[in-house]
Amino acid sequence: MIISVASGKGGTGKTTVATSLARSLGKVQFLDCDVEEPNAHIFLKPNIDQKKPVGIPVPEVDKDRCNYCGKCAEVCEFNAIVVIKDKVLIFPEMCHGCGGCTYICPENAIKEIDRTIGVIERGTAGTIDFVHGILNVGEPMAPPLIREVKRLINHQGNTIIDASPGTSCPVVGAVKDSDFCLLVTEPTPFGLNDLKLAVGMLKKLSIPYGVIINTADLGDAEVENYCRAENIPILMTIPWDRRIAEAYSRGIPLVEVLPEYKEKFSNLYAQIMELCDMRSAI
Ligand code: SF4
Ligand code: SF4
């Protein structure tokens, strides 16, 4: 069972929910796929014992073989390779490593070299098998690193995926193939706007979802009204609590500072299972 945790808007408490759910489930795998800014390790404090650099293959041209025919540039959808007269220019940061140019080159003039984009770290945090990806600073290619993190999914048990906020490519890459997605939001106009975008994304991906409203007693009732009108299950509400905010600032999971939430998160998991069972019975 793969449960992803996402949020249209940043700062809604997504990692608080993801780490507390993990801490409430016992033996579980946790993948932090928010590779541009992974922070779940601050709360789960894993002992990291494995590190692996991750790269993508980018082209390198052998000038002695190249006849400057331009076919590599024509095939590149990302303008990462350009041929100007007797020069082939390569822009590695724009290259998606698709291999198209190497395949099309009639002179066999292109070989692929690895460009490191980040690192994967793996370890344990109590009963949690912890994995996160860390993208190099300024590196735009998050999706290939997210794919590598997700290659480590253990399909025998439960996996929680912490996605980055928003609805862009890295989020789609993180949540796709999930059995269920939790959307964490806040009851504000911005929260509602971004929740609607996230719901649209999950509908396109055909992933079942439910909502958690954080700081539920602040703001207005529009998020709740929207969920009821759209038949979206509200699986949990978390009121604003100074103790939660303080624990967050000190890197302590919610369920450790307020242990009564462990049962709430276990119930949340049971609700998710039920919703997934209902869906598979249709
Ligand atoms: S396709 Fe090959 S031969 Fe043609 S310009 Fe590109 S690298 Fe050179
Ligand atoms: S590997 Fe793909 S993305 Fe990169 S330069 Fe070649 S065609 Fe473009």
Side-chain angles (χ1 to χ4, degrees):
M1 173 94 174
I2 302 171
I3 302 169
S4 51
V5 185
S7 63
K9 181 181 173 300
T12 57
K14 176 179 59 62
T15 301
T16 296
V17 167
T19 52
S20 293
L21 181 61
R23 274 273 179 249
S24 308
L25 292 188
K27 201 165 163 47
V28 70
Q29 186 178 43
F30 190 100
L31 306 185
D32 191 346
C33 286
D34 186 358
V35 298
E36 279 154 292
E37 219 174 323
N39 64 350
H41 62 285
I42 296 169
F43 299 91
L44 297 176
K45 301 177 179 56
N47 288 316
I48 300 293
D49 52 20
Q50 295 171 47
K51 287 188 189 198
K52 188 183 100 170
V54 173
I56 56 172
V58 298
E60 188 179 73
V61 174
D62 180 345
K63 285 183 193 149
D64 295 334
R65 284 176 171 247
C66 178
N67 64 10
Y68 307 101
C69 68
K71 289 196 169 138
C72 51
E74 278 167 30
V75 82
C76 183
E77 278 182 57
F78 307 101
N79 299 320
I81 187 163
V82 176
V83 181
I84 305 168
K85 286 188 182 165
D86 58 351
K87 274 199 178 76
V88 181
L89 304 176
I90 296 167
F91 303 96
E93 300 75 24
M94 291 161 75
C95 172
H96 285 54
C98 70
C101 52
T102 310
Y103 179 77
I104 207 84
C105 176
E107 302 298 324
N108 252 340
I110 298 179
K111 72 169 182 180
E112 291 176 338
I113 53 168
D114 221 35
R115 184 174 77 81
T116 303
I117 57 169
V119 64
I120 290 179
E121 295 184 336
R122 188 172 195 170
T124 50
T127 55
I128 299 171
D129 171 20
F130 180 92
V131 184
H132 66 180
I134 307 171
L135 199 65
N136 287 348
V137 175
E139 172 59 55
M141 289 295 157
L145 179 55
I146 292 168
R147 271 198 299 278
E148 287 304 309
V149 172
K150 289 181 72 178
R151 258 188 232 282
L152 298 172
I153 289 178
N154 172 7
H155 292 278
Q156 308 307 315
N158 287 317
T159 298
I160 294 169
I161 292 177
D162 192 3
S164 48
T167 49
S168 58
C169 292
V171 185
V172 173
V175 305
K176 78 171 182 199
D177 304 320
S178 299
D179 297 298
F180 194 88
C181 184
L182 279 171
L183 289 174
V184 186
T185 189
E186 62 180 25
T188 63
F190 292 121
L192 176 60
N193 180 69
D194 293 354
L195 174 65
K196 286 179 180 173
L197 295 175
V199 165
M201 171 189 73
L202 293 173
K203 278 184 178 165
K204 279 198 184 131
L205 292 169
S206 299
I207 296 171
Y209 52 91
V211 163
I212 294 184
I213 308 178
N214 193 15
T215 60
D217 47 347
L218 303 179
D220 56 40
E222 292 308 310
V223 166
E224 225 174 304
N225 294 341
Y226 165 73
C227 291
R228 295 201 201 294
E230 294 292 321
N231 229 355
I232 299 169
I234 299 173
L235 301 176
M236 186 191 271
T237 57
I238 304 172
W240 187 86
D241 188 321
R242 191 185 172 92
R243 292 169 297 175
I244 299 175
E246 281 177 359
Y248 182 85
S249 69
R250 285 188 283 132
I252 301 170
L254 159 62
V255 289
E256 279 174 30
V257 71
L258 297 176
E260 63 270 27
Y261 268 87
K262 259 198 174 168
E263 200 186 331
K264 293 185 184 187
F265 277 99
S266 299
N267 290 341
L268 170 67
Y269 175 69
Q271 287 184 79
I272 293 171
M273 293 296 280
E274 211 172 290
L275 287 167
C276 289
D277 285 350
M278 277 163 57
R279 186 178 152 98
S280 58
I282 294 170

